[in-house]
């Protein structure tokens, strides 16, 4: 069974004082009037931190039962790995290493050992002439590969020993009894045929510059695919009509090893990579945090009911196509693109032996359309074209998108375009199709089997083995069988779901003691499938660190003829008031149908908490450089507030003079977090301002709470300074003018004077040389004055920008 994962431990914030039990009276209030909050889980990222036992979380954010894992018994202790596996009928055959044993696993998961292969390590196995054939590699520089025929009962016969071939990694039997092998080192594709004069003779079909050919696959019309190690290339070998093959590289992967190849019914090739350096625990990417939906491959009822509808051609395509009589013949790749539902064999039979210029032009047009689509979607990368095309790219094709981590499954369509349909931090060792048309991938180093929907694309773990590696994969009528390594074994993934599975949510933190209200679950309950729901609560973040409440009695949901397909399952959360909550879902199958959970919502609320006012500040207007400019009489008031319940807040501002006990309103019932106070309507003096914040907008009148804060003292000063005690003393052509300057509230900020028609005022200092008080004595001596009448204009400005002027006439005799 899949291992149970404990929810991640969550720690309370540093400095948080744990709340005690809430008094009962606190919840006797009309709690419905308080704005409730809710936890909503509906995406893969929401559910992923929880504990899983017999369930999986899909990329669409769905909890569903995992397939049953039935481990097979009877494997020898000396075996550490399953090298390869083949399905024949309702049995799976597996070769083990390093012991070289052949094991047979039945539809019920029963295993038996059939034979011991002593000729070397049986890295490759295939069905052959009613039985099996194993390619046993001796390895080393002088090693050889021995081909061994094996009956379904375990009887063995050596067919041939291929000298100077240390390793054989893949074998493809042909209808004529010959065998095509991927070998190394060096990496080659060779063909061996029985009944020849030299039993060990092989024909080389492809000689690469790499150490090994690790994987092989065969498509219609004899086309072969070969995957290599070292550079991660996939070759296409197309029969040339003369007994040989034309080779072309269709994929240059970012990863160094192509470990598995698989051809789909539509001719798409799937290539899996296995860079073991990138097979690390943990996920490569974060789980989906949005609901992305899922691919719908069902037939459109409208199209199915329309006898004149042509699914292979839209109106737009029809308008763009020439008449059939004028259309030249096209090759198999083009037909596959134009009519994806046509059988692959028919397409292969329809392909002419040699392309025509018209066919090349048509192919270029199809490629142009596909490239335009790829620019919009960003999903396709150019791969190879047919090797015989004059416009085919020379050398190696465009490399698949570079990646610094993880391994991938690439899809290469009939025109050579490459799409990445899966990537994660695993090594992908084998691929197979399940009964529903999903792609299964056997991976390491966490021994997981993924189910991949190539059209979406999306993936989910459907098998979590105890072994470190899921190394080989075959699909029987009773379900997939996975061969494992470290340790060696076999596990059957039952086509029926597990009888039941459990999901425990991560700990939900309401931030403070809360009353838990209603819950609703969006779920599908087909047949007699059922869903059980339990909840518990506590006031410590880790349920194991201190007592929580017991799990509530399980609330059961089953078939309900009155419930609509998408109607949620609603129920009250039966857990005591507390800060933390967990829910537990038990999914129960009826043997054929299984429940699915798509979303859950749990409401909670708490007694209202008062808002806080963190600061209340004021700023005087900045003084203009020109004292004659209009002054700004406004004082800017600003504040910062918060509400633990995230309630909306409204404010009232009041001011109190220093010689008064009464606050006078400045502004009431507003939502802004600042206020410009026009002080011209207030008498000069010293004041404090008081801010009142209330959460009344989101709470009933008898539950609304307020907080107040008083500012530091501030000055309202709209009166200019006073100029008094003006005196003039003349002597010869000099004059000394003096005056007393004072302000009731503000420090004097500047002094200046101008004589007669001077346009610029001269800056002056008081007699003590410091402008630092509200009282200053000022004087100036003017020399070299002309005889006659003169006028000195004196100007004083206080710190609030108020300006006073005085004209002082005098005469020089």
């Amino acid at each position: 069974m899949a291992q149970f994962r404990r929810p991640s431990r969550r720690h309370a914030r540093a400095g948080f004082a744990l709340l005690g039990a809430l008094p009962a009276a606190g919840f006797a209030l009309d709690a419905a009037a308080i704005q409730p909050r809710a936890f909503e889980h509906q995406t893969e990222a929401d559910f992923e931190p929880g504990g899983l036992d017999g369930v999986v979380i899909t990329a669409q954010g769905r909890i569903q039962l995992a397939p049953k894992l039935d481990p097979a018994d009877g494997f020898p202790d000396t075996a550490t790995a399953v090298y390869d596996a083949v399905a024949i009928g309702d049995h799976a055959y597996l070769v083990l290493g390093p012991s070289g044993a052949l094991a047979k696993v039945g539809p019920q998961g029963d295993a038996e050992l059939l034979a011991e292969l002593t000729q070397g390590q049986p890295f490759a196995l295939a069905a052959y002439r009613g039985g099996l054939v194993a390619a046993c590699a001796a390895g080393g520089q002088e090693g050889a590969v021995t081909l061994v025929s094996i009956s379904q009962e375990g009887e063995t016969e050596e067919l041939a020993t291929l000298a100077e071939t240390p390793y054989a990694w893949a074998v493809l039997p042909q209808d004529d009894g010959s065998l095509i092998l991927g070998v190394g080192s060096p990496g080659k594709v060779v063909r061996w045929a029985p009944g020849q004069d030299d039993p060990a003779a092989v024909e080389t079909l492809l000689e690469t510059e790499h150490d090994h050919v690790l994987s092989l696959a065969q498509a219609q019309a004899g086309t072969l695919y070969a995957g290599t190690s070292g550079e991660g290339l996939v070759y296409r070998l197309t029969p040339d009509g003369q007994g040989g093959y034309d080779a072309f590289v269709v994929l240059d992967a970012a990863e160094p090893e192509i470990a598995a190849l698989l051809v789909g019914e539509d001719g798409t090739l799937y290539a899996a990579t296995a860079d073991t350096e990138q097979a690390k625990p943990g996920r490569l990417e974060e789980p989906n945090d949005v609901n992305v939906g899922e691919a719908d491959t069902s037939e459109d009822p409208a199209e199915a009911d329309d006898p004149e509808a042509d699914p292979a051609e839209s109106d737009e395509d029809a308008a763009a196509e020439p008449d059939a009589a004028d259309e030249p013949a096209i090759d198999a790749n083009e037909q596959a693109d134009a009519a994806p539902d046509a059988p692959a064999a028919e397409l292969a039979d329809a392909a002419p032996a040699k392309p025509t210029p018209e066919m090349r032009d048509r192919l270029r047009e199809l490629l142009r359309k596909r490239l335009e689509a790829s620019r919009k979607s960003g999903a396709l990368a150019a791969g190879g074209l047919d090797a015989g095309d004059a416009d085919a790219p020379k050398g190696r094709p465009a490399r698949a998108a570079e990646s610094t981590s993880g391994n991938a499954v690439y899809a290469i369509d009939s025109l050579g375009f490459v799409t990445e349909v899966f990537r994660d931090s695993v090594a992908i060792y084998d691929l197979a199709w399940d009964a529903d048309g999903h792609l299964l991938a056997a991976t390491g180093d966490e021994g997981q089997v993924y189910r991949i929907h190539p059209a979406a694309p999306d993936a989910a773990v459907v098998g979590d083995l105890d072994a470190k590696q899921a190394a080989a994969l075959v699909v029987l009528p009773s379900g997939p069988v996975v061969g494992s390594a470290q340790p060696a074994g076999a596990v059957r993934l039952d086509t029926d779901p597990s009888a039941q599975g459990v999901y425990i949510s991560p700990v939900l933190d309401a931030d403070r003691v809360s009353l838990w209200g209603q819950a609703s679950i969006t779920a599908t309950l087909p047949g007699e499938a059922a869903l059980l729901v339990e909840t518990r609560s506590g006031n410590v973040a880790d349920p194991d660190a201190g007592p929580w409440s017991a799990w509530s009695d399980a609330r059961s949901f089953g078939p309900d003829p009155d419930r609509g397909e998408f109607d949620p399952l609603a129920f009250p959360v039966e857990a005591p008031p507390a800060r933390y909550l967990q829910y537990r879902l038990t999914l129960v199958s009826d043997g054929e149908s299984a429940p699915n959970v798509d979303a859950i919502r749990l409401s909670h609320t708490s007694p209202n908490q008062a808002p806080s006012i963190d600061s209340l500040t004021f700023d005087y207007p900045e003084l203009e450089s020109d004292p004659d400019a209009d002054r700004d009489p406004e004082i800017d008031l600003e504040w910062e507030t918060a509400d633990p319940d995230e309630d909306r807040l409204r404010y009232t501002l009041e001011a109190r003079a220093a010689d008064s006990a009464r606050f006078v309103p400045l502004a009431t019932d507003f939502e802004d977090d600042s206020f410009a106070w026009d002080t011209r309507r207030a008498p000069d003096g010293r004041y404090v301002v008081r801010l009142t914040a209330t959460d009344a907008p989101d709470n009933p009148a008898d539950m609304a709470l307020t907080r107040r804060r008083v500012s530091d003292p501030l000055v309202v000063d709209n009166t200019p300074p006073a100029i008094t005690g003006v005196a003039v003393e003349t002597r010869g052509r000099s004059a000394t003018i003096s005056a007393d300057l004072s302000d009731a509230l503000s420090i004097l900020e500047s002094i200046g004077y101008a004589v007669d028609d001077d346009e610029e005022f001269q800056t002056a200092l008081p007699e003590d040389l410091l402008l630092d008080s509200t009282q200053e004595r000022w004087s100036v001596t003017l020399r070299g004055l002309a005889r006659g009448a003169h006028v000195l204009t004196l100007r004083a400005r206080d710190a609030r920008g108020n300006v006073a002027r005085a004209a002082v006439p005098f005469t020089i005799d």
Side-chain angles (χ1 to χ4, degrees), residues 365-525:
E365 177 63 18
L366 289 172
L367 290 177
R368 183 188 64 79
K369 292 181 180 179
R370 188 69 69 88
L371 286 171
E372 289 177 353
S374 72
R375 293 190 189 101
K376 296 178 181 179
S377 66
L380 298 178
L385 301 177
D386 186 79
D389 197 321
D391 289 342
K394 302 301 183 283
R396 292 160 67 168
R399 191 177 184 90
E402 294 288 351
S403 174
T404 58
S405 57
N407 284 285
V409 175
Y410 298 101
I412 308 163
D413 70 7
S414 57
L415 290 179
F417 289 92
V418 179
T419 305
E420 184 178 296
V421 298
F422 173 80
R423 178 173 291 280
D424 215 328
S425 55
V426 295
I428 307 163
Y429 295 117
D430 206 357
L431 298 173
W433 294 106
D434 71 4
D436 297 324
H438 294 96
L439 192 62
L440 297 179
T443 73
D445 278 351
E446 294 185 83
Q448 295 175 325
V449 178
Y450 285 80
R451 181 177 60 204
I452 303 168
H453 197 311
D458 54 54
V461 175
V462 294
D464 196 347
L465 281 57
D466 292 332
K468 189 175 181 181
Q469 296 173 348
L473 183 62
V474 294
V475 178
L476 303 179
S478 58
V481 172
V482 185
S484 66
Q486 301 182 26
V491 175
R492 187 171 66 93
L493 305 183
D494 203 316
T495 53
D496 294 329
S498 301
Q500 71 176 42
V502 176
Y503 172 80
I504 299 181
S505 75
V507 174
L508 309 180
D509 184 0
D511 292 328
R512 56 196 172 97
V513 174
S514 297
L515 175 68
W516 302 96
Q518 285 290 115
S520 63
I521 296 179
T522 303
T524 303
L525 302 175

Side-chain angles (χ1 to χ4, degrees), residues 669-691:
D669 198 29
F670 65 100
E671 296 181 352
D672 297 335
D673 57 2
S674 63
F675 180 78
W677 180 18
D678 187 347
T679 61
R680 288 175 296 185
R681 302 180 63 182
D684 285 3
R686 301 186 186 279
Y687 291 81
V688 290
V689 175
R690 182 172 70 184
L691 175 70

Side-chain angles (χ1 to χ4, degrees), residues 68-423:
K68 286 190 293 187
L69 302 181
D70 295 330
D73 297 325
F75 284 79
D77 295 336
T78 55
T80 61
V82 171
Y83 289 145
D84 204 356
V86 172
I88 299 180
D90 57 359
H91 286 77
Y93 294 84
L94 306 93
V95 283
L96 314 176
S99 59
L102 174 69
K104 177 180 179 182
V105 177
Q108 304 304 318
D110 50 311
E112 61 175 308
L113 293 179
L114 292 183
E116 294 288 341
L117 305 177
T118 60
Q119 293 84 356
Q121 296 296 307
F123 293 127
L125 184 70
Y128 182 66
R129 291 186 167 181
L132 302 124
V133 62
C136 301
Q141 293 182 349
E142 304 298 328
V145 169
T146 301
L147 303 176
V148 181
S149 174
I150 314 167
S151 71
Q152 295 187 39
E153 291 73 32
E155 298 175 355
T156 63
E157 177 187 356
E158 292 189 9
L159 301 178
T161 298
L162 313 181
E164 299 181 0
T165 305
Y167 300 99
W169 303 105
V171 57
L172 282 177
Q174 304 297 296
D175 292 340
D176 61 0
S178 64
L179 300 174
I180 295 177
L181 298 100
V183 302
S185 164
K188 294 187 292 185
V189 178
V190 301
R191 176 165 51 199
W192 172 87
Q196 54 190 340
D197 294 338
D198 182 1
V202 295
E203 175 189 2
T204 299
L205 307 182
L206 172 68
E207 189 165 358
T208 74
E209 297 178 357
H210 315 297
D211 290 338
H212 301 278
V213 171
L214 295 180
S215 52
L216 295 173
Q218 188 160 6
Q220 295 290 337
T223 297
L224 300 174
Y225 293 98
T228 70
S229 68
E231 291 291 337
L233 300 184
V234 176
Y235 290 83
R236 182 183 64 209
L237 304 179
T238 307
D240 60 7
Q242 301 176 358
Y245 288 84
D246 292 327
F248 188 72
V249 175
V250 295
L251 174 67
D252 181 3
E255 299 77 25
E257 293 188 359
I258 306 296
L261 296 171
L262 183 66
V263 178
E265 291 184 356
D266 62 353
T268 299
L269 175 69
Y270 295 89
T273 69
D275 181 2
T276 56
E277 294 296 323
Q278 300 299 332
K280 302 174 182 178
R283 298 189 56 165
L284 180 63
E285 298 179 355
E286 293 297 322
N288 286 336
D289 58 1
V290 294
N291 277 335
V292 297
E294 60 182 327
D296 183 3
T297 57
S298 61
E299 185 177 15
D300 189 334
E303 294 184 1
D305 295 339
D306 185 359
E308 298 181 0
D310 184 358
E313 180 177 297
S314 65
D315 293 339
E316 181 180 354
D317 292 336
E321 296 294 333
D323 293 337
D326 299 329
E327 180 70 15
I330 59 177
D331 63 11
N333 283 341
E334 182 180 347
Q335 290 193 28
D337 182 75
D341 295 331
E346 296 180 10
L347 298 182
D349 293 340
K354 188 174 182 180
T356 65
E358 291 82 2
M359 291 163 53
R360 298 183 198 279
D361 293 340
R362 176 67 181 133
L363 181 58
R364 292 190 187 99
E365 177 63 18
L366 289 172
L367 290 177
R368 183 188 64 79
K369 292 181 180 179
R370 188 69 69 88
L371 286 171
E372 289 177 353
S374 72
R375 293 190 189 101
K376 296 178 181 179
S377 66
L380 298 178
L385 301 177
D386 186 79
D389 197 321
D391 289 342
K394 302 301 183 283
R396 292 160 67 168
R399 191 177 184 90
E402 294 288 351
S403 174
T404 58
S405 57
N407 284 285
V409 175
Y410 298 101
I412 308 163
D413 70 7
S414 57
L415 290 179
F417 289 92
V418 179
T419 305
E420 184 178 296
V421 298
F422 173 80
R423 178 173 291 280

Side-chain angles (χ1 to χ4, degrees), residues 525 528-534 553-559 569 571 586 588:
L525 302 175
E528 299 297 319
L531 175 66
L532 306 179
V533 186
E534 304 160 89
D553 293 338
R555 184 175 291 270
S556 177
F557 296 96
L569 308 169
F571 60 96
T586 302
V588 182

